[in-house]
């Protein structure tokens, strides 16, 4: 059930956000000799809202732009175009104080030459805690809260297991006292037995600290378990957005249908018809005309699919970009 505040303003809003990366012609190789610099259109006009206390799941295949979008929302990347609003105000650098990101690979996101005290201490200084004793007390409190021990404070990242390192990453994110957390595949690098522990911790912390999450994952069962709403991305665009239960029970966009049909199901009664997607994900340097999914779509409506980007429509409470519903 959605935890969305009934009539309140969204906490975070993306308005027609784009992130394009220039690729120098030299990097494209001699095969493309004579070509000018090109653009990777990783995110190409994405709009959605996240309400306080919600968990929004962001899904799609590798290369769909979900990690780039998460980094734009966390202000690690400047958007090429569009706007990000925080409580209805345009976001600039001050957003850092309200937003944190938890990375997929806790090892590469922690400085190997710093102790846990230093890693969390940097974040606490950013928050404005100047007094060393206060910082020490807060560091120990955060360590305990994420399930680590006070004796870990002098250890270095390589001395921890993957799950423990992710707990350090979570403690560092909490140290800023964020309102909005982008969790970018936070459990996909962990052993299955550890994944559930970290997911439970994130859920407990959401309740305790009143956090709002954008949860990026390719594991749809994790998204189903955690999210209030789901946004489905393909080649830098939103294909479908809906409340989680409705999306999983009744996916409308052909791409969402294909993604969900690929989830392994144990219950024979609940088995969906398998949909095999033809071809590979097209290059975001040279995306298809019209609907970006038309080169792989099994339900193509007609020539309009190849000619014009489908308008977004509201169908059965879902936001869908597909000519089938226009
Ligand atoms: Fe398929 Fe056309 Fe819908 Fe795209 S717009 S998903 S090609 S039916």
């Amino acid at each position: 059930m959605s935890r969305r505040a009934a009539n309140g303003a969204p906490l975070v809003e993306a308005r027609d956000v784009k992130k394009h990366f220039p690729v120098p012609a030299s990097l494209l190789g001699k095969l493309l000799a004579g070509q000018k610099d090109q653009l990777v259109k990783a995110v190409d006009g994405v709009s959605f809202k996240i309400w306080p206390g919600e968990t929004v799941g962001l899904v799609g295949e590798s290369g769909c732009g979900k990690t780039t979008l998460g980094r734009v929302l966390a202000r690690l990347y400047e958007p090429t175009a569009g706007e990000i609003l925080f409580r209805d105000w345009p976001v600039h650098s001050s957003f850092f104080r309200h937003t944190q990101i938890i990375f997929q690979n806790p090892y590469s996101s922690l400085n190997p030459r710093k102790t846990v005290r230093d890693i969390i201490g940097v974040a606490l200084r950013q928050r404005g805690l100047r007094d060393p004793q206060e910082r020490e007390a807060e560091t120990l409190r955060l360590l305990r809260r994420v399930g680590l021990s006070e004796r870990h404070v002098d250890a270095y990242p390589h001395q921890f297991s993957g799950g423990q390192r992710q707990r350090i990453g979570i403690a560092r994110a909490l140290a800023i006292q964020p309102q909005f957390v982008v969790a970018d595949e936070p459990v996909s690098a962990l052993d299955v037995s550890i994944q559930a522990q970290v997911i439970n911790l994130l859920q407990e912390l959401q309740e305790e600290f009143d956090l709002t999450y954008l949860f990026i994952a390719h594991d749809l069962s994790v998204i189903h378990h955690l999210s209030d709403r789901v946004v489905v991305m393909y080649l830098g665009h939103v294909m479908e957005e809906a409340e989680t239960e409705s999306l999983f029970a009744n996916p409308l966009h052909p791409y969402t249908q294909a993604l969900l049909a690929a989830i392994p199901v144990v219950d024979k009664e609940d088995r969906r018809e398998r949909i095999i997607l033809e071809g590979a994900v097209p290059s975001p340097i040279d995306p298809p005309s019209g609907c970006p999914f038309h080169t792989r779509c099994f339900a193509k409506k007609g020539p309009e699919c190849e000619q014009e980007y489908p308008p977004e429509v509201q169908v059965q409470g879902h936001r869908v970009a597909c000519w089938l519903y226009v």
Side-chain angles (χ1 to χ4, degrees), residues 284-299:
I285 293 180
D286 187 20
S289 59
C291 167
F293 187 56
H294 85 250
T295 55
R296 303 169 79 200
C297 183
F298 53 88

Side-chain angles (χ1 to χ4, degrees), residues 110-176:
L110 300 173
N111 187 334
R113 292 187 197 84
K114 301 277 186 196
T115 63
V116 170
R117 177 185 284 108
D118 295 335
I119 290 168
I120 297 178
V122 168
L124 291 172
R125 268 197 294 273
Q126 257 180 289
R127 180 173 121 195
L129 272 190
R130 304 253 169 262
D131 179 52
Q133 281 181 340
E134 270 184 57
R135 273 206 306 274
E136 179 73 3
E138 182 66 354
T139 301
L140 298 180
R141 189 184 73 81
L142 285 167
L143 284 182
R144 286 192 301 269
R145 183 58 200 91
V146 298
L148 294 171
S149 148
E150 294 184 3
R151 68 186 159 78
H152 288 128
V153 75
D154 289 314
Y156 290 85
H158 73 269
Q159 295 174 282
F160 293 92
S161 68
Q164 287 174 321
R165 283 197 284 263
Q166 196 54 292
R167 288 173 193 269
I168 298 168
I170 293 169
R172 177 178 59 181
L174 288 179
I176 300 280

Side-chain angles (χ1 to χ4, degrees), residues 18 35 41 43 59 85 118 135 142 152 155 157 160 184 208 249 276 279 286 311 321 325:
K18 297 183 181 180
Q35 290 212 359
K41 295 177 180 172
V43 176
V59 300
L85 306 177
D118 295 335
R135 273 206 306 274
L142 285 167
H152 288 128
F160 293 92
D184 182 9
E208 195 174 324
I276 309 288
D286 187 20
Y325 301 98

Side-chain angles (χ1 to χ4, degrees), residues 7 12 82 107 111 114 159 167 172 185 246 288 314 318:
N7 296 310
V12 179
Y107 194 55
N111 187 334
K114 301 277 186 196
Q159 295 174 282
R167 288 173 193 269
R172 177 178 59 181
E185 303 266 13
S246 182
Q314 289 287 336
H318 297 210

Side-chain angles (χ1 to χ4, degrees), residues 36-210:
K36 294 185 185 148
D37 289 0
Q38 300 208 20
L39 289 176
V40 173
K41 295 177 180 172
V43 176
D44 204 21
V46 166
S47 301
F48 65 98
K49 298 173 183 175
I50 306 178
W51 274 267
E54 266 196 315
T55 297
V56 171
L58 185 59
V59 300
E61 291 165 288
S62 297
C64 71
K66 54 191 192 303
T67 287
T68 302
L69 178 60
R71 288 177 184 215
V72 170
L73 289 177
R75 302 306 287 194
L76 296 182
Y77 296 154
E78 275 300 308
T80 307
E83 214 175 12
I84 297 161
L85 306 177
F86 190 84
R87 293 197 185 280
D88 283 341
W89 287 89
V91 165
H92 300 293
S93 55
S94 63
F95 194 55
F96 274 122
R97 292 194 49 241
H98 303 297
T99 300
Q100 282 295 293
I101 186 164
I102 298 169
F103 294 95
Q104 173 179 6
N105 186 337
Y107 194 55
S108 61
S109 69
L110 300 173
N111 187 334
R113 292 187 197 84
K114 301 277 186 196
T115 63
V116 170
R117 177 185 284 108
D118 295 335
I119 290 168
I120 297 178
V122 168
L124 291 172
R125 268 197 294 273
Q126 257 180 289
R127 180 173 121 195
L129 272 190
R130 304 253 169 262
D131 179 52
Q133 281 181 340
E134 270 184 57
R135 273 206 306 274
E136 179 73 3
E138 182 66 354
T139 301
L140 298 180
R141 189 184 73 81
L142 285 167
L143 284 182
R144 286 192 301 269
R145 183 58 200 91
V146 298
L148 294 171
S149 148
E150 294 184 3
R151 68 186 159 78
H152 288 128
V153 75
D154 289 314
Y156 290 85
H158 73 269
Q159 295 174 282
F160 293 92
S161 68
Q164 287 174 321
R165 283 197 284 263
Q166 196 54 292
R167 288 173 193 269
I168 298 168
I170 293 169
R172 177 178 59 181
L174 288 179
I176 300 280
Q177 293 184 323
Q179 295 174 39
F180 177 51
V181 174
V182 175
D184 182 9
E185 303 266 13
V187 296
S188 59
L190 305 178
D191 290 345
V192 175
S193 57
I194 307 296
Q195 287 185 3
Q197 294 173 15
V198 173
I199 287 171
N200 288 343
L201 175 64
L202 289 170
Q203 285 187 298
E204 288 167 19
L205 296 173
Q206 181 172 38
E207 290 291 330
E208 195 174 324
F209 296 97
D210 217 5

Side-chain angles (χ1 to χ4, degrees), residues 200-274:
N200 288 343
L201 175 64
L202 289 170
Q203 285 187 298
E204 288 167 19
L205 296 173
Q206 181 172 38
E207 290 291 330
E208 195 174 324
F209 296 97
D210 217 5
L211 299 172
T212 301
Y213 287 144
L214 178 71
F215 201 97
I216 302 170
H218 64 269
D219 184 336
L220 290 165
S221 48
V222 170
I223 289 287
H224 194 179
H225 174 70
L226 274 176
S227 309
D228 299 300
R229 271 186 309 130
V230 180
V231 173
V232 181
M233 273 186 84
Y234 185 78
L235 266 184
H237 296 269
V238 173
M239 300 285 101
E240 184 166 2
E241 177 193 341
E243 301 277 332
T244 303
E245 290 311 323
S246 182
L247 186 110
F248 277 79
N250 181 29
L252 297 179
H253 195 285
Y255 180 58
T256 317
Q257 291 170 0
L259 278 184
L260 297 194
I263 304 176
V265 179
V266 179
D267 183 354
K268 271 190 186 163
E269 301 293 310
D270 194 25
R271 204 154 276 175
R272 294 170 194 269
E273 197 184 329
R274 197 155 169 78

